[in-house]
Amino acid sequence: MNSLISVMLVDDEPLALDHVYHSVPWEENGFQVVAQATSGRMALRMFEELQPQIVITDISMSPMDGLELGRHVVQLAPRTRLIFLTAYRDFDYARQALELRAAHYLLKHEISRNRLLEQLKLLKEGLAAEAAEEEGHGHALHILLKDMLAGKYQAPAGNQESRLHRLVADYQQGQPGLLYFELEAALKLGGSRSNARSTTALVWKNIEEEIRRQTTDLEELQLLEMDEGGYILLLKLSSSSSLLLQHYNLRQLAAQVLLCLESFYRGNLPRVILSAGNGTEPPDLRYAAMRQAYDYSVFLPPGGVFLLEQAVSAGEATGIAQEVRQYLLSPERSLLERLKTGLDHIATQAYLGDLRAVMGEIRGACRKDGSFAIDQELGTDARQVVNSLYRILEDCLQQPQSPKRYSRWVNKAMEYVAGNYADPDLSLETVAGHLQISSIHLRTTFKRETGQSLLDYTTEYRIGLAKQFLQTGEYKIYEVSEKVGYKTSQYFSQVFKKTTGIQPKDFLQQRGRE
């Protein structure tokens, strides 16, 4: 981007205009004359288009004089610096110029290179200081807004509230539109995503400026690079409209973002998820839901745009996860071929719930026998993901001995937990009694071979199943707690939060009640 300070010169006398232009070596001193006008009206039209940072204008012009031009300039762009030139010593002109926040008032016969350049350099310093202050202000606001979206923001008490905090409160209490995307996003077997970062902040600055320039009904725009790896735009539109119209406007803005990325970013275009202000959920809960729902992006081509509601409704449950579980216990070629058809169906029908459930079953099996890395990438689109899952399942046919990597007693203990997880009295002692070995021997052996206690393994197994039950949307929280072996829903909620970091009700919200 051009780092020179932009200047416009205005004088209705061409010779005087030429004299000012040749009075200063502009570019050598960090300035660029972007426009020259010989009337106030011409200058105003050019200013509306170019928005120069400094305007040097004669006062005595007709029909629009320099003072009237200055009033229009200040109204259009209050931060523009003004320098008025005149051949008159009338104090009233000087007073009116200063009322318009004129940067300086110079008499034409006193103009010289040094005199004008001295004033321009002072203005340049002021503009630089203002830009630095604005940049610091913007950085601080971004930090607070990111805290707000992460649910960590706390408003200051009493009269300690600043302008920054008021801006955050406006977003927190209002209903901004949200656009979220990740660069080079790829699903991982562990359930998370890998993504990339742009190497330069200039990309985002260019995008932000381009969107502001092209969008007429945009009141506020904040583009944030989130710590979790994605990018989010918080948008305030000037028109209060129906949800349908908000969705339309957000899609138009998403198209602009993608168009800008196509120009400024070298990688593949991301998919963009949208959420309009619905009047019920605050921005932080919508942001959390969008990050969870972004898995749905694998079903779309690069540059695809989709709504949060579209992803939430993709929680199909066809029973393929149960077939995968059966296959992992006893791999058979005939069942593998049936699973291949089911995986293809997931990809073509965009069944996000089924995809997550299958990944969960394979992930659980991998944790038990360590045959595959949990953090391996599956792919950036649905076809790559299901093909990777199929290859993992196919490899199981070549490794029928993999469950025997643990000793006989550990495998039997795991099998007993899988068959009796719903028993609220399940414990190390009951498992050891069933196996007819001492609880001390089982505790020591299980810990040595798996790296975790039998109690921790049982809890992890139960909570993993609980997540799947909750995702179906068919059971209430207290019903799930009973199904996975907890006597009270209160204790189940405590264990769930300790294991996952969130309450079951919050898990339901984040998963979109899939």
Side-chain angles (χ1 to χ4, degrees):
M1 295 180 65
N2 196 340
S3 61
L4 299 178
I5 302 296
S6 56
V7 180
M8 181 168 72
L9 307 179
V10 187
D11 199 310
D12 60 355
E13 297 181 14
L15 289 178
L17 188 67
D18 192 60
H19 172 63
V20 173
Y21 178 74
H22 288 97
S23 295
V24 175
W26 300 97
E27 294 193 4
E28 291 180 20
N29 291 280
F31 301 93
Q32 180 182 24
V33 176
V34 296
Q36 298 184 59
T38 54
S39 74
R41 289 176 178 174
M42 179 193 298
L44 183 57
R45 290 195 300 270
M46 298 175 77
F47 182 84
E48 289 174 344
E49 179 183 353
L50 300 172
Q51 297 272 316
Q53 295 161 280
I54 298 174
V55 174
I56 303 175
T57 179
D58 183 26
I59 286 183
S60 180
M61 296 186 297
S62 180
M64 177 187 289
D65 65 19
L67 293 178
E68 186 180 352
L69 171 63
R71 293 188 188 97
H72 286 295
V73 165
V74 169
Q75 186 177 8
L76 290 169
R79 296 181 181 179
T80 301
R81 302 303 201 265
L82 298 166
I83 297 180
F84 289 104
L85 306 177
T86 186
Y88 300 98
R89 294 181 178 272
D90 191 324
F91 178 74
D92 186 56
Y93 278 109
R95 180 182 60 77
Q96 291 184 58
L98 293 173
E99 284 178 354
L100 286 174
R101 292 175 42 176
H104 201 69
Y105 180 89
L106 290 176
L107 295 174
K108 281 189 173 182
H109 72 271
E110 293 179 349
I111 292 177
S112 66
R113 170 184 293 195
N114 292 339
R115 186 79 180 269
L116 181 56
L117 186 57
E118 178 184 346
Q119 297 306 318
L120 286 168
K121 287 183 176 179
L122 288 174
L123 295 188
K124 183 179 179 182
E125 291 176 4
L127 287 168
E130 187 177 273
E133 181 182 357
E134 186 65 26
E135 185 176 349
H137 176 278
H139 181 66
L141 178 60
H142 280 192
I143 291 174
L144 293 178
L145 288 174
K146 288 198 287 187
D147 283 348
M148 178 202 71
L149 290 172
K152 299 186 294 185
Y153 173 74
Q154 290 185 341
N159 58 6
Q160 296 180 340
E161 186 183 56
S162 66
R163 184 166 71 94
L164 281 177
H165 290 287
R166 286 194 294 273
L167 289 172
V168 175
D170 286 343
Y171 278 108
Q172 195 171 33
Q173 297 166 9
Q175 290 296 326
L178 303 180
L179 275 68
Y180 177 79
F181 60 90
E182 296 178 12
L183 301 177
E184 317 295 342
L187 273 182
K188 301 171 92 174
L189 182 58
S192 62
R193 293 184 299 271
S194 65
N195 47 55
R197 290 285 198 188
S198 171
T199 56
T200 173
L202 187 60
V203 169
W204 310 117
K205 187 173 180 62
N206 286 336
I207 289 175
E208 197 168 334
E209 290 180 353
E210 189 67 15
I211 292 173
R212 290 182 190 278
R213 189 178 68 83
Q214 294 188 17
T215 308
T216 57
D217 60 347
L218 186 65
E219 286 187 352
E220 286 289 339
L221 164 66
Q222 298 293 337
L223 198 163
L224 309 177
E225 184 178 55
M226 302 303 290
D227 296 336
E228 299 86 359
Y231 298 84
I232 190 161
L233 279 81
L234 285 81
L235 304 154
K236 285 186 182 179
L237 300 175
S238 56
S239 57
S240 175
S241 56
S242 67
L243 195 61
L244 185 62
L245 190 54
Q246 285 186 64
H247 284 158
Y248 173 79
N249 289 333
L250 288 175
R251 285 186 181 275
Q252 295 297 106
L253 284 165
Q256 288 186 22
V257 171
L258 292 168
L259 190 62
C260 291
L261 278 171
E262 199 167 17
S263 301
F264 299 127
Y265 177 65
R266 299 289 185 186
N268 295 319
L269 287 179
R271 294 93 165 181
V272 182
I273 182 171
L274 314 176
S275 174
N278 55 18
T280 58
E281 285 189 320
D284 58 331
L285 292 183
R286 284 196 286 139
Y287 169 65
M290 291 172 77
R291 286 198 65 240
Q292 291 288 346
Y294 196 73
D295 285 352
Y296 183 81
S297 65
V298 298
F299 296 108
L300 301 178
V305 178
F306 63 104
L307 300 175
L308 173 60
E309 295 81 0
Q310 187 178 350
V312 167
S313 64
E316 186 73 16
T318 63
I320 187 174
Q322 287 73 20
E323 293 186 352
V324 169
R325 184 186 306 174
Q326 177 186 346
Y327 172 84
L328 291 169
L329 289 173
S330 180
E332 295 181 4
R333 174 61 66 178
S334 59
L335 182 53
L336 177 63
E337 292 306 313
R338 191 159 74 245
L339 289 177
K340 186 178 190 307
T341 301
L343 290 172
D344 289 340
H345 193 60
I346 288 175
T348 56
Q349 299 300 315
Y351 288 159
L352 179 59
D354 273 345
L355 181 63
R356 284 173 168 165
V358 170
M359 289 171 58
E361 291 294 339
I362 297 176
R363 181 165 61 244
C366 291
R367 282 185 176 137
K368 291 178 184 178
D369 61 25
S371 55
F372 301 99
I374 297 298
D375 64 345
Q376 66 174 295
E377 290 186 4
L378 300 176
T380 59
D381 62 62
R383 182 54 55 190
Q384 292 175 355
V385 171
V386 297
N387 286 344
S388 296
L389 293 174
Y390 177 78
R391 285 194 295 271
I392 293 174
L393 294 173
E394 189 176 38
D395 287 346
C396 291
L397 286 175
Q398 313 302 322
Q399 300 174 350
Q401 76 287 355
S402 58
K404 296 182 181 179
R405 290 182 181 180
Y406 295 132
S407 67
R408 178 167 63 98
W409 298 121
V410 171
N411 280 324
K412 284 185 173 294
M414 290 179 172
E415 291 173 5
Y416 190 80
V417 169
N420 297 271
Y421 62 84
D423 180 3
D425 296 320
L426 182 65
S427 65
L428 174 71
E429 286 71 22
T430 57
V431 177
H434 172 76
L435 300 181
Q436 296 183 344
I437 60 174
S438 73
S439 58
I440 295 176
H441 177 64
L442 179 59
R443 178 189 297 112
T444 304
T445 304
F446 199 94
K447 178 72 172 179
R448 182 179 65 248
E449 293 187 22
T450 67
Q452 62 180 158
S453 68
L454 181 61
L455 174 61
D456 289 341
Y457 173 82
T458 303
T459 299
E460 183 181 279
Y461 192 88
R462 283 171 161 168
I463 298 302
L465 289 174
K467 288 181 179 179
Q468 294 181 26
F469 288 135
L470 289 170
Q471 283 177 331
T472 66
E474 298 176 6
Y475 305 101
K476 299 185 182 299
I477 291 175
Y478 76 87
E479 293 175 323
V480 173
S481 70
E482 292 176 358
K483 289 178 72 67
V484 297
Y486 291 95
K487 294 180 179 179
T488 68
S489 59
Q490 290 84 357
Y491 181 58
F492 165 69
S493 296
Q494 292 174 11
V495 175
F496 192 97
K497 183 176 182 181
K498 183 178 180 182
T499 304
T500 65
I502 58 174
Q503 294 282 357
K505 59 182 179 61
D506 296 328
F507 178 81
L508 280 172
Q509 289 180 329
Q510 291 189 5
R511 289 288 178 176
R513 294 176 178 83
E514 294 170 3

